[in-house]
PDB file of all heavy atoms in Angstrom:
ATOM      1  N   LEU A 183      -0.811  -3.134   1.403  1.00 95.00           N
ATOM      2  CA  LEU A 183      -0.686  -1.694   1.615  1.00 95.00           C
ATOM      3  C   LEU A 183       0.574  -1.297   2.379  1.00 95.00           C
ATOM      4  O   LEU A 183       1.038  -0.165   2.277  1.00 95.00           O
ATOM      5  CB  LEU A 183      -1.923  -1.199   2.382  1.00 95.00           C
ATOM      6  CG  LEU A 183      -2.304   0.258   2.238  1.00 95.00           C
ATOM      7  CD1 LEU A 183      -2.661   0.592   0.800  1.00 95.00           C
ATOM      8  CD2 LEU A 183      -3.485   0.582   3.164  1.00 95.00           C
ATOM      9  N   ASP A 184       1.162  -2.224   3.139  1.00 94.00           N
ATOM     10  CA  ASP A 184       2.263  -1.840   4.029  1.00 94.00           C
ATOM     11  C   ASP A 184       3.583  -1.578   3.312  1.00 94.00           C
ATOM     12  O   ASP A 184       4.553  -1.162   3.943  1.00 94.00           O
ATOM     13  CB  ASP A 184       2.453  -2.850   5.162  1.00 94.00           C
ATOM     14  CG  ASP A 184       2.383  -4.283   4.709  1.00 94.00           C
ATOM     15  OD1 ASP A 184       2.256  -4.534   3.502  1.00 94.00           O
ATOM     16  OD2 ASP A 184       2.445  -5.179   5.582  1.00 94.00           O
ATOM     17  N   THR A 185       3.650  -1.816   1.987  1.00 97.00           N
ATOM     18  CA  THR A 185       4.848  -1.417   1.233  1.00 97.00           C
ATOM     19  C   THR A 185       4.496  -0.518   0.042  1.00 97.00           C
ATOM     20  O   THR A 185       5.323  -0.316  -0.843  1.00 97.00           O
ATOM     21  CB  THR A 185       5.618  -2.652   0.713  1.00 97.00           C
ATOM     22  OG1 THR A 185       4.783  -3.388  -0.208  1.00 97.00           O
ATOM     23  CG2 THR A 185       6.052  -3.558   1.852  1.00 97.00           C
ATOM     24  N   ILE A 186       3.310   0.016   0.029  1.00 98.00           N
ATOM     25  CA  ILE A 186       2.847   0.733  -1.169  1.00 98.00           C
ATOM     26  C   ILE A 186       3.498   2.112  -1.328  1.00 98.00           C
ATOM     27  O   ILE A 186       3.747   2.557  -2.448  1.00 98.00           O
ATOM     28  CB  ILE A 186       1.302   0.845  -1.171  1.00 98.00           C
ATOM     29  CG1 ILE A 186       0.801   1.095  -2.611  1.00 98.00           C
ATOM     30  CG2 ILE A 186       0.818   1.919  -0.216  1.00 98.00           C
ATOM     31  CD1 ILE A 186      -0.715   0.946  -2.752  1.00 98.00           C
ATOM     32  N   LEU A 187       3.805   2.802  -0.211  1.00 98.00           N
ATOM     33  CA  LEU A 187       4.348   4.157  -0.331  1.00 98.00           C
ATOM     34  C   LEU A 187       5.747   4.187  -0.943  1.00 98.00           C
ATOM     35  O   LEU A 187       5.984   4.945  -1.902  1.00 98.00           O
ATOM     36  CB  LEU A 187       4.335   4.858   1.034  1.00 98.00           C
ATOM     37  CG  LEU A 187       2.953   5.289   1.541  1.00 98.00           C
ATOM     38  CD1 LEU A 187       3.075   5.978   2.897  1.00 98.00           C
ATOM     39  CD2 LEU A 187       2.254   6.210   0.549  1.00 98.00           C
ATOM     40  N   PRO A 188       6.713   3.405  -0.433  1.00 98.00           N
ATOM     41  CA  PRO A 188       8.023   3.437  -1.103  1.00 98.00           C
ATOM     42  C   PRO A 188       7.957   2.953  -2.548  1.00 98.00           C
ATOM     43  O   PRO A 188       8.672   3.467  -3.410  1.00 98.00           O
ATOM     44  CB  PRO A 188       8.899   2.526  -0.236  1.00 98.00           C
ATOM     45  CG  PRO A 188       7.978   1.776   0.634  1.00 98.00           C
ATOM     46  CD  PRO A 188       6.751   2.599   0.790  1.00 98.00           C
ATOM     47  N   THR A 189       7.078   1.992  -2.817  1.00 98.00           N
ATOM     48  CA  THR A 189       6.911   1.526  -4.193  1.00 98.00           C
ATOM     49  C   THR A 189       6.420   2.662  -5.083  1.00 98.00           C
ATOM     50  O   THR A 189       6.941   2.882  -6.184  1.00 98.00           O
ATOM     51  CB  THR A 189       5.917   0.357  -4.246  1.00 98.00           C
ATOM     52  OG1 THR A 189       6.453  -0.745  -3.518  1.00 98.00           O
ATOM     53  CG2 THR A 189       5.646  -0.076  -5.674  1.00 98.00           C
ATOM     54  N   TYR A 190       5.431   3.394  -4.618  1.00 98.00           N
ATOM     55  CA  TYR A 190       4.893   4.500  -5.417  1.00 98.00           C
ATOM     56  C   TYR A 190       5.940   5.593  -5.634  1.00 98.00           C
ATOM     57  O   TYR A 190       6.187   6.018  -6.778  1.00 98.00           O
ATOM     58  CB  TYR A 190       3.652   5.100  -4.762  1.00 98.00           C
ATOM     59  CG  TYR A 190       3.252   6.403  -5.414  1.00 98.00           C
ATOM     60  CD1 TYR A 190       2.769   6.424  -6.724  1.00 98.00           C
ATOM     61  CD2 TYR A 190       3.429   7.618  -4.747  1.00 98.00           C
ATOM     62  CE1 TYR A 190       2.451   7.621  -7.350  1.00 98.00           C
ATOM     63  CE2 TYR A 190       3.111   8.814  -5.364  1.00 98.00           C
ATOM     64  CZ  TYR A 190       2.627   8.810  -6.669  1.00 98.00           C
ATOM     65  OH  TYR A 190       2.321   9.994  -7.298  1.00 98.00           O
ATOM     66  N   PHE A 191       6.562   6.064  -4.539  1.00 98.00           N
ATOM     67  CA  PHE A 191       7.467   7.207  -4.665  1.00 98.00           C
ATOM     68  C   PHE A 191       8.696   6.880  -5.511  1.00 98.00           C
ATOM     69  O   PHE A 191       9.125   7.705  -6.330  1.00 98.00           O
ATOM     70  CB  PHE A 191       7.874   7.707  -3.276  1.00 98.00           C
ATOM     71  CG  PHE A 191       6.779   8.443  -2.562  1.00 98.00           C
ATOM     72  CD1 PHE A 191       6.307   7.999  -1.336  1.00 98.00           C
ATOM     73  CD2 PHE A 191       6.207   9.576  -3.121  1.00 98.00           C
ATOM     74  CE1 PHE A 191       5.288   8.671  -0.683  1.00 98.00           C
ATOM     75  CE2 PHE A 191       5.179  10.258  -2.474  1.00 98.00           C
ATOM     76  CZ  PHE A 191       4.719   9.803  -1.251  1.00 98.00           C
ATOM     77  N   VAL A 192       9.255   5.688  -5.347  1.00 98.00           N
ATOM     78  CA  VAL A 192      10.430   5.327  -6.149  1.00 98.00           C
ATOM     79  C   VAL A 192      10.044   5.159  -7.616  1.00 98.00           C
ATOM     80  O   VAL A 192      10.749   5.623  -8.516  1.00 98.00           O
ATOM     81  CB  VAL A 192      11.097   4.045  -5.608  1.00 98.00           C
ATOM     82  CG1 VAL A 192      12.188   3.554  -6.570  1.00 98.00           C
ATOM     83  CG2 VAL A 192      11.699   4.302  -4.232  1.00 98.00           C
ATOM     84  N   SER A 193       8.914   4.492  -7.859  1.00 98.00           N
ATOM     85  CA  SER A 193       8.487   4.321  -9.258  1.00 98.00           C
ATOM     86  C   SER A 193       8.197   5.665  -9.916  1.00 98.00           C
ATOM     87  O   SER A 193       8.441   5.857 -11.112  1.00 98.00           O
ATOM     88  CB  SER A 193       7.251   3.411  -9.334  1.00 98.00           C
ATOM     89  OG  SER A 193       6.133   4.019  -8.711  1.00 98.00           O
ATOM     90  N   LYS A 194       7.689   6.612  -9.139  1.00 98.00           N
ATOM     91  CA  LYS A 194       7.409   7.955  -9.662  1.00 98.00           C
ATOM     92  C   LYS A 194       8.712   8.684  -9.977  1.00 98.00           C
ATOM     93  O   LYS A 194       8.870   9.268 -11.052  1.00 98.00           O
ATOM     94  CB  LYS A 194       6.598   8.739  -8.620  1.00 98.00           C
ATOM     95  CG  LYS A 194       6.123  10.108  -9.086  1.00 98.00           C
ATOM     96  CD  LYS A 194       4.967  10.009 -10.032  1.00 98.00           C
ATOM     97  CE  LYS A 194       4.373  11.385 -10.311  1.00 98.00           C
ATOM     98  NZ  LYS A 194       3.307  11.316 -11.344  1.00 98.00           N
ATOM     99  N   LEU A 195       9.667   8.629  -9.028  1.00 97.00           N
ATOM    100  CA  LEU A 195      10.942   9.314  -9.219  1.00 97.00           C
ATOM    101  C   LEU A 195      11.728   8.749 -10.396  1.00 97.00           C
ATOM    102  O   LEU A 195      12.349   9.488 -11.168  1.00 97.00           O
ATOM    103  CB  LEU A 195      11.782   9.211  -7.939  1.00 97.00           C
ATOM    104  CG  LEU A 195      11.377  10.104  -6.771  1.00 97.00           C
ATOM    105  CD1 LEU A 195      12.128   9.693  -5.517  1.00 97.00           C
ATOM    106  CD2 LEU A 195      11.664  11.575  -7.100  1.00 97.00           C
ATOM    107  N   LYS A 196      11.687   7.420 -10.523  1.00 97.00           N
ATOM    108  CA  LYS A 196      12.498   6.758 -11.550  1.00 97.00           C
ATOM    109  C   LYS A 196      11.719   6.477 -12.846  1.00 97.00           C
ATOM    110  O   LYS A 196      12.250   5.884 -13.773  1.00 97.00           O
ATOM    111  CB  LYS A 196      13.064   5.448 -10.980  1.00 97.00           C
ATOM    112  CG  LYS A 196      13.949   5.677  -9.763  1.00 97.00           C
ATOM    113  CD  LYS A 196      14.480   4.373  -9.199  1.00 97.00           C
ATOM    114  CE  LYS A 196      15.584   3.826 -10.082  1.00 97.00           C
ATOM    115  NZ  LYS A 196      16.237   2.651  -9.467  1.00 97.00           N
ATOM    116  N   ARG A 197      10.448   6.896 -12.852  1.00 97.00           N
ATOM    117  CA  ARG A 197       9.574   6.670 -14.011  1.00 97.00           C
ATOM    118  C   ARG A 197       9.538   5.188 -14.385  1.00 97.00           C
ATOM    119  O   ARG A 197       9.651   4.810 -15.557  1.00 97.00           O
ATOM    120  CB  ARG A 197      10.038   7.528 -15.194  1.00 97.00           C
ATOM    121  CG  ARG A 197       9.951   9.021 -14.907  1.00 97.00           C
ATOM    122  CD  ARG A 197      10.374   9.845 -16.092  1.00 97.00           C
ATOM    123  NE  ARG A 197      10.264  11.282 -15.791  1.00 97.00           N
ATOM    124  CZ  ARG A 197      10.592  12.247 -16.634  1.00 97.00           C
ATOM    125  NH1 ARG A 197      11.044  11.934 -17.847  1.00 97.00           N
ATOM    126  NH2 ARG A 197      10.474  13.513 -16.283  1.00 97.00           N
ATOM    127  N   THR A 198       9.358   4.395 -13.352  1.00 97.00           N
ATOM    128  CA  THR A 198       9.291   2.945 -13.498  1.00 97.00           C
ATOM    129  C   THR A 198       7.836   2.499 -13.416  1.00 97.00           C
ATOM    130  O   THR A 198       7.029   3.095 -12.688  1.00 97.00           O
ATOM    131  CB  THR A 198      10.093   2.276 -12.354  1.00 97.00           C
ATOM    132  OG1 THR A 198      11.451   2.698 -12.443  1.00 97.00           O
ATOM    133  CG2 THR A 198      10.025   0.764 -12.432  1.00 97.00           C
ATOM    134  N   LYS A 199       7.486   1.458 -14.129  1.00 98.00           N
ATOM    135  CA  LYS A 199       6.136   0.908 -14.019  1.00 98.00           C
ATOM    136  C   LYS A 199       5.922   0.352 -12.616  1.00 98.00           C
ATOM    137  O   LYS A 199       6.864  -0.090 -11.950  1.00 98.00           O
ATOM    138  CB  LYS A 199       5.919  -0.184 -15.066  1.00 98.00           C
ATOM    139  CG  LYS A 199       5.938   0.323 -16.506  1.00 98.00           C
ATOM    140  CD  LYS A 199       5.716  -0.818 -17.476  1.00 98.00           C
ATOM    141  CE  LYS A 199       5.852  -0.351 -18.920  1.00 98.00           C
ATOM    142  NZ  LYS A 199       4.819   0.640 -19.301  1.00 98.00           N
ATOM    143  N   ARG A 200       4.657   0.349 -12.176  1.00 98.00           N
ATOM    144  CA  ARG A 200       4.349  -0.164 -10.847  1.00 98.00           C
ATOM    145  C   ARG A 200       3.057  -0.965 -10.890  1.00 98.00           C
ATOM    146  O   ARG A 200       2.197  -0.756 -11.749  1.00 98.00           O
ATOM    147  CB  ARG A 200       4.222   0.972  -9.827  1.00 98.00           C
ATOM    148  CG  ARG A 200       3.199   2.037 -10.198  1.00 98.00           C
ATOM    149  CD  ARG A 200       3.182   3.165  -9.166  1.00 98.00           C
ATOM    150  NE  ARG A 200       2.297   4.255  -9.575  1.00 98.00           N
ATOM    151  CZ  ARG A 200       2.724   5.331 -10.234  1.00 98.00           C
ATOM    152  NH1 ARG A 200       4.003   5.461 -10.561  1.00 98.00           N
ATOM    153  NH2 ARG A 200       1.863   6.283 -10.565  1.00 98.00           N
ATOM    154  N   ALA A 201       2.931  -1.900  -9.935  1.00 98.00           N
ATOM    155  CA  ALA A 201       1.722  -2.723  -9.823  1.00 98.00           C
ATOM    156  C   ALA A 201       1.409  -2.933  -8.350  1.00 98.00           C
ATOM    157  O   ALA A 201       2.280  -2.811  -7.486  1.00 98.00           O
ATOM    158  CB  ALA A 201       1.924  -4.068 -10.529  1.00 98.00           C
ATOM    159  N   TYR A 202       0.145  -3.250  -8.086  1.00 98.00           N
ATOM    160  CA  TYR A 202      -0.326  -3.478  -6.714  1.00 98.00           C
ATOM    161  C   TYR A 202      -0.912  -4.871  -6.608  1.00 98.00           C
ATOM    162  O   TYR A 202      -1.836  -5.225  -7.345  1.00 98.00           O
ATOM    163  CB  TYR A 202      -1.370  -2.423  -6.338  1.00 98.00           C
ATOM    164  CG  TYR A 202      -1.845  -2.493  -4.901  1.00 98.00           C
ATOM    165  CD1 TYR A 202      -0.956  -2.730  -3.864  1.00 98.00           C
ATOM    166  CD2 TYR A 202      -3.184  -2.299  -4.581  1.00 98.00           C
ATOM    167  CE1 TYR A 202      -1.382  -2.779  -2.549  1.00 98.00           C
ATOM    168  CE2 TYR A 202      -3.627  -2.330  -3.273  1.00 98.00           C
ATOM    169  CZ  TYR A 202      -2.714  -2.582  -2.255  1.00 98.00           C
ATOM    170  OH  TYR A 202      -3.147  -2.631  -0.957  1.00 98.00           O
ATOM    171  N   ASP A 203      -0.360  -5.667  -5.714  1.00 97.00           N
ATOM    172  CA  ASP A 203      -0.845  -7.020  -5.429  1.00 97.00           C
ATOM    173  C   ASP A 203      -1.607  -6.952  -4.108  1.00 97.00           C
ATOM    174  O   ASP A 203      -1.008  -6.888  -3.040  1.00 97.00           O
ATOM    175  CB  ASP A 203       0.354  -7.981  -5.341  1.00 97.00           C
ATOM    176  CG  ASP A 203      -0.046  -9.406  -4.985  1.00 97.00           C
ATOM    177  OD1 ASP A 203      -1.133  -9.604  -4.393  1.00 97.00           O
ATOM    178  OD2 ASP A 203       0.733 -10.327  -5.278  1.00 97.00           O
ATOM    179  N   ALA A 204      -2.922  -6.939  -4.194  1.00 94.00           N
ATOM    180  CA  ALA A 204      -3.772  -6.751  -3.008  1.00 94.00           C
ATOM    181  C   ALA A 204      -4.355  -8.094  -2.572  1.00 94.00           C
ATOM    182  O   ALA A 204      -5.394  -8.516  -3.073  1.00 94.00           O
ATOM    183  CB  ALA A 204      -4.891  -5.764  -3.316  1.00 94.00           C
ATOM    184  N   HIS A 205      -3.681  -8.734  -1.646  1.00 90.00           N
ATOM    185  CA  HIS A 205      -4.151 -10.030  -1.168  1.00 90.00           C
ATOM    186  C   HIS A 205      -5.394  -9.888  -0.312  1.00 90.00           C
ATOM    187  O   HIS A 205      -6.126 -10.849  -0.089  1.00 90.00           O
ATOM    188  CB  HIS A 205      -3.027 -10.702  -0.365  1.00 90.00           C
ATOM    189  CG  HIS A 205      -3.309 -12.115   0.002  1.00 90.00           C
ATOM    190  ND1 HIS A 205      -2.935 -12.673   1.204  1.00 90.00           N
ATOM    191  CD2 HIS A 205      -3.945 -13.097  -0.675  1.00 90.00           C
ATOM    192  CE1 HIS A 205      -3.327 -13.938   1.241  1.00 90.00           C
ATOM    193  NE2 HIS A 205      -3.932 -14.221   0.124  1.00 90.00           N
ATOM    194  N   GLU A 206      -5.641  -8.680   0.198  1.00 90.00           N
ATOM    195  CA  GLU A 206      -6.779  -8.455   1.094  1.00 90.00           C
ATOM    196  C   GLU A 206      -7.151  -6.982   1.075  1.00 90.00           C
ATOM    197  O   GLU A 206      -6.455  -6.156   0.478  1.00 90.00           O
ATOM    198  CB  GLU A 206      -6.405  -8.883   2.515  1.00 90.00           C
ATOM    199  CG  GLU A 206      -5.173  -8.177   3.050  1.00 90.00           C
ATOM    200  CD  GLU A 206      -4.486  -8.953   4.149  1.00 90.00           C
ATOM    201  OE1 GLU A 206      -5.052  -9.951   4.620  1.00 90.00           O
ATOM    202  OE2 GLU A 206      -3.372  -8.564   4.530  1.00 90.00           O
ATOM    203  N   LEU A 207      -8.251  -6.655   1.734  1.00 92.00           N
ATOM    204  CA  LEU A 207      -8.596  -5.259   1.990  1.00 92.00           C
ATOM    205  C   LEU A 207      -7.899  -4.868   3.282  1.00 92.00           C
ATOM    206  O   LEU A 207      -8.421  -5.072   4.384  1.00 92.00           O
ATOM    207  CB  LEU A 207     -10.110  -5.090   2.115  1.00 92.00           C
ATOM    208  CG  LEU A 207     -10.928  -5.243   0.829  1.00 92.00           C
ATOM    209  CD1 LEU A 207     -12.417  -5.253   1.143  1.00 92.00           C
ATOM    210  CD2 LEU A 207     -10.599  -4.146  -0.175  1.00 92.00           C
ATOM    211  N   PHE A 208      -6.706  -4.328   3.157  1.00 90.00           N
ATOM    212  CA  PHE A 208      -5.822  -4.113   4.307  1.00 90.00           C
ATOM    213  C   PHE A 208      -6.508  -3.323   5.416  1.00 90.00           C
ATOM    214  O   PHE A 208      -6.431  -3.680   6.599  1.00 90.00           O
ATOM    215  CB  PHE A 208      -4.549  -3.402   3.837  1.00 90.00           C
ATOM    216  CG  PHE A 208      -3.448  -3.365   4.843  1.00 90.00           C
ATOM    217  CD1 PHE A 208      -2.478  -4.351   4.873  1.00 90.00           C
ATOM    218  CD2 PHE A 208      -3.365  -2.329   5.764  1.00 90.00           C
ATOM    219  CE1 PHE A 208      -1.450  -4.307   5.804  1.00 90.00           C
ATOM    220  CE2 PHE A 208      -2.352  -2.278   6.701  1.00 90.00           C
ATOM    221  CZ  PHE A 208      -1.380  -3.273   6.723  1.00 90.00           C
ATOM    222  N   CYS A 209      -7.176  -2.233   5.061  1.00 92.00           N
ATOM    223  CA  CYS A 209      -7.790  -1.365   6.064  1.00 92.00           C
ATOM    224  C   CYS A 209      -8.984  -2.011   6.757  1.00 92.00           C
ATOM    225  O   CYS A 209      -9.437  -1.524   7.800  1.00 92.00           O
ATOM    226  CB  CYS A 209      -8.220  -0.050   5.428  1.00 92.00           C
ATOM    227  SG  CYS A 209      -6.835   0.989   4.931  1.00 92.00           S
ATOM    228  N   GLU A 210      -9.509  -3.086   6.170  1.00 91.00           N
ATOM    229  CA  GLU A 210     -10.691  -3.732   6.731  1.00 91.00           C
ATOM    230  C   GLU A 210     -10.353  -4.974   7.563  1.00 91.00           C
ATOM    231  O   GLU A 210     -11.245  -5.728   7.948  1.00 91.00           O
ATOM    232  CB  GLU A 210     -11.656  -4.117   5.607  1.00 91.00           C
ATOM    233  CG  GLU A 210     -12.145  -2.935   4.786  1.00 91.00           C
ATOM    234  CD  GLU A 210     -12.846  -1.872   5.623  1.00 91.00           C
ATOM    235  OE1 GLU A 210     -13.580  -2.254   6.567  1.00 91.00           O
ATOM    236  OE2 GLU A 210     -12.656  -0.675   5.357  1.00 91.00           O
ATOM    237  N   MET A 211      -9.064  -5.210   7.835  1.00 88.00           N
ATOM    238  CA  MET A 211      -8.705  -6.286   8.761  1.00 88.00           C
ATOM    239  C   MET A 211      -9.106  -5.882  10.175  1.00 88.00           C
ATOM    240  O   MET A 211      -9.079  -4.697  10.527  1.00 88.00           O
ATOM    241  CB  MET A 211      -7.204  -6.573   8.697  1.00 88.00           C
ATOM    242  CG  MET A 211      -6.726  -7.099   7.363  1.00 88.00           C
ATOM    243  SD  MET A 211      -5.001  -7.654   7.412  1.00 88.00           S
ATOM    244  CE  MET A 211      -4.161  -6.100   7.760  1.00 88.00           C
ATOM    245  N   LYS A 212      -9.436  -6.861  11.017  1.00 85.00           N
ATOM    246  CA  LYS A 212      -9.931  -6.550  12.354  1.00 85.00           C
ATOM    247  C   LYS A 212      -8.936  -5.714  13.156  1.00 85.00           C
ATOM    248  O   LYS A 212      -9.303  -4.755  13.840  1.00 85.00           O
ATOM    249  CB  LYS A 212     -10.241  -7.837  13.128  1.00 85.00           C
ATOM    250  CG  LYS A 212     -10.810  -7.562  14.514  1.00 85.00           C
ATOM    251  CD  LYS A 212     -10.968  -8.814  15.347  1.00 85.00           C
ATOM    252  CE  LYS A 212     -11.410  -8.454  16.762  1.00 85.00           C
ATOM    253  NZ  LYS A 212     -11.487  -9.628  17.652  1.00 85.00           N
ATOM    254  N   GLU A 213      -7.634  -6.062  13.068  1.00 86.00           N
ATOM    255  CA  GLU A 213      -6.635  -5.347  13.865  1.00 86.00           C
ATOM    256  C   GLU A 213      -6.467  -3.901  13.405  1.00 86.00           C
ATOM    257  O   GLU A 213      -5.895  -3.082  14.131  1.00 86.00           O
ATOM    258  CB  GLU A 213      -5.283  -6.075  13.826  1.00 86.00           C
ATOM    259  CG  GLU A 213      -4.710  -6.314  12.449  1.00 86.00           C
ATOM    260  CD  GLU A 213      -5.049  -7.688  11.905  1.00 86.00           C
ATOM    261  OE1 GLU A 213      -6.207  -8.123  12.058  1.00 86.00           O
ATOM    262  OE2 GLU A 213      -4.153  -8.320  11.322  1.00 86.00           O
ATOM    263  N   ILE A 214      -6.973  -3.563  12.201  1.00 90.00           N
ATOM    264  CA  ILE A 214      -6.927  -2.184  11.713  1.00 90.00           C
ATOM    265  C   ILE A 214      -8.256  -1.483  11.965  1.00 90.00           C
ATOM    266  O   ILE A 214      -8.309  -0.408  12.573  1.00 90.00           O
ATOM    267  CB  ILE A 214      -6.602  -2.142  10.206  1.00 90.00           C
ATOM    268  CG1 ILE A 214      -5.275  -2.859   9.904  1.00 90.00           C
ATOM    269  CG2 ILE A 214      -6.553  -0.701   9.711  1.00 90.00           C
ATOM    270  CD1 ILE A 214      -4.065  -2.241  10.501  1.00 90.00           C
ATOM    271  N   VAL A 215      -9.344  -2.097  11.509  1.00 88.00           N
ATOM    272  CA  VAL A 215     -10.650  -1.438  11.557  1.00 88.00           C
ATOM    273  C   VAL A 215     -11.140  -1.229  12.989  1.00 88.00           C
ATOM    274  O   VAL A 215     -11.946  -0.327  13.255  1.00 88.00           O
ATOM    275  CB  VAL A 215     -11.681  -2.247  10.732  1.00 88.00           C
ATOM    276  CG1 VAL A 215     -12.151  -3.493  11.457  1.00 88.00           C
ATOM    277  CG2 VAL A 215     -12.859  -1.367  10.329  1.00 88.00           C
ATOM    278  N   SER A 216     -10.651  -2.028  13.951  1.00 87.00           N
ATOM    279  CA  SER A 216     -11.089  -1.899  15.348  1.00 87.00           C
ATOM    280  C   SER A 216     -10.309  -0.840  16.120  1.00 87.00           C
ATOM    281  O   SER A 216     -10.589  -0.591  17.292  1.00 87.00           O
ATOM    282  CB  SER A 216     -10.957  -3.250  16.056  1.00 87.00           C
ATOM    283  OG  SER A 216      -9.600  -3.668  16.078  1.00 87.00           O
ATOM    284  N   ARG A 217      -9.323  -0.194  15.474  1.00 89.00           N
ATOM    285  CA  ARG A 217      -8.515   0.842  16.125  1.00 89.00           C
ATOM    286  C   ARG A 217      -8.633   2.131  15.300  1.00 89.00           C
ATOM    287  O   ARG A 217      -7.926   2.287  14.302  1.00 89.00           O
ATOM    288  CB  ARG A 217      -7.065   0.387  16.223  1.00 89.00           C
ATOM    289  CG  ARG A 217      -6.872  -0.825  17.134  1.00 89.00           C
ATOM    290  CD  ARG A 217      -5.435  -1.333  17.050  1.00 89.00           C
ATOM    291  NE  ARG A 217      -5.156  -2.336  18.065  1.00 89.00           N
ATOM    292  CZ  ARG A 217      -5.400  -3.632  17.925  1.00 89.00           C
ATOM    293  NH1 ARG A 217      -5.941  -4.077  16.807  1.00 89.00           N
ATOM    294  NH2 ARG A 217      -5.112  -4.485  18.896  1.00 89.00           N
ATOM    295  N   PRO A 218      -9.506   3.043  15.704  1.00 92.00           N
ATOM    296  CA  PRO A 218      -9.828   4.216  14.881  1.00 92.00           C
ATOM    297  C   PRO A 218      -8.623   5.032  14.407  1.00 92.00           C
ATOM    298  O   PRO A 218      -8.569   5.426  13.237  1.00 92.00           O
ATOM    299  CB  PRO A 218     -10.732   5.039  15.802  1.00 92.00           C
ATOM    300  CG  PRO A 218     -11.372   4.027  16.692  1.00 92.00           C
ATOM    301  CD  PRO A 218     -10.324   2.978  16.923  1.00 92.00           C
ATOM    302  N   ALA A 219      -7.650   5.279  15.284  1.00 93.00           N
ATOM    303  CA  ALA A 219      -6.499   6.108  14.895  1.00 93.00           C
ATOM    304  C   ALA A 219      -5.641   5.394  13.852  1.00 93.00           C
ATOM    305  O   ALA A 219      -5.200   6.008  12.866  1.00 93.00           O
ATOM    306  CB  ALA A 219      -5.658   6.448  16.128  1.00 93.00           C
TER     307      ALA A 219
END
């Protein structure tokens, strides 16, 4: 997830194909899910 925004916006602007390689559930890692903000 930590590089998904520039990938999305550039692919949208340039009409380029895009893919997502999700090695994990990023938001459900302990260092993320334990910090509400």
Side-chain angles (χ1 to χ4, degrees):
L183 204 63
D184 44 4
T185 63
I186 201 169
L187 287 180
T189 296
Y190 168 68
F191 287 121
V192 171
S193 65
K194 186 75 171 175
L195 285 169
K196 300 179 75 173
R197 297 182 179 179
T198 299
K199 294 180 185 296
R200 56 183 175 266
Y202 185 41
D203 177 337
H205 189 217
E206 57 203 351
L207 289 172
F208 192 92
C209 291
E210 300 302 322
M211 296 189 296
K212 182 187 174 184
E213 56 265 43
I214 303 296
V215 76
S216 62
R217 295 173 170 86

